[in-house]
């Protein structure tokens, strides 16, 4: 069965614009291979983009974690400083009114 192209009768289903160089099977295979290569390229690009985004996300997360840890340490340090100031203030008040446990060996101070 031959398909006439531009009035030329090509044997074995060979056709190309005005000539009989390529068979239909070769054209179908070339189109399929081209589509396959296109899909592989698209998948590869998507994989590289995903890997790049993942690495970037991890770097951003690490920076945020470091900042969070720094803030947490600063808060803990300020809290310890405030605690020490309160303790010093309370000790001063105890000394002022003679309620210091360390200075009273007789144990006369009793909590109400």
């Amino acid at each position: 069965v031959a398909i006439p192209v531009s009035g030329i009768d090509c044997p074995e289903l060979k056709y190309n614009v005005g000539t009989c160089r390529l068979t239909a099977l070769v054209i179908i295979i070339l189109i399929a291979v081209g589509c396959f290569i296109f899909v592989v390229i698209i998948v590869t690009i998507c994989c590289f983009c995903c890997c790049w985004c993942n690495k970037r996300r991890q770097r951003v997360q690490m920076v945020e974690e470091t900042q969070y840890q720094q803030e947490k340490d600063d808060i803990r340090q300020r809290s310890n400083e405030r605690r020490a100031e309160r303790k010093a203030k309370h000790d001063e008040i105890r000394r002022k009114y003679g309620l210091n446990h360390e200075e009273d060996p007789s144990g006369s101070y009793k909590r109400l």
Side-chain angles (χ1 to χ4, degrees):
V1 176
I3 299 175
V5 178
S6 302
I8 301 172
D9 192 18
C10 296
E12 300 176 14
L13 296 177
K14 290 185 179 179
Y15 59 94
N16 195 359
V17 183
T19 62
C20 301
R21 280 193 246 168
L22 297 174
T23 64
L25 184 61
V26 171
I27 291 176
I28 292 172
I29 291 173
L30 287 176
I31 291 173
V33 169
C35 290
F36 177 75
I37 290 172
F38 179 74
V39 168
V40 168
I41 289 172
I42 295 296
V43 168
T44 305
I45 290 171
C46 289
C47 288
F48 280 129
C49 287
C50 288
C51 290
W52 181 79
C53 288
N54 220 0
K55 287 179 184 178
R56 183 171 179 254
R57 188 179 310 122
Q58 287 175 352
R59 274 187 264 132
V60 167
Q61 201 172 30
M62 190 184 317
V63 168
E64 288 177 352
E65 183 67 29
T66 304
Q67 289 175 348
Y68 173 74
Q69 192 65 35
Q70 244 177 357
E71 289 175 7
K72 192 175 171 183
D73 291 342
D74 290 344
I75 290 170
R76 185 176 292 128
Q77 182 181 1
R78 285 187 303 228
S79 174
N80 288 340
E81 289 172 359
R82 286 193 305 265
R83 187 177 297 123
E85 289 173 3
R86 280 195 312 269
K87 185 176 182 340
K89 186 176 178 182
H90 291 158
D91 288 345
E92 184 181 327
I93 291 171
R94 285 188 187 107
R95 254 192 321 268
K96 181 178 177 181
Y97 292 105
L99 302 173
N100 219 357
H101 293 284
E102 292 83 24
E103 295 177 3
D104 191 12
S106 65
S108 62
Y109 170 73
K110 295 179 183 172
R111 192 169 183 177
L112 295 178

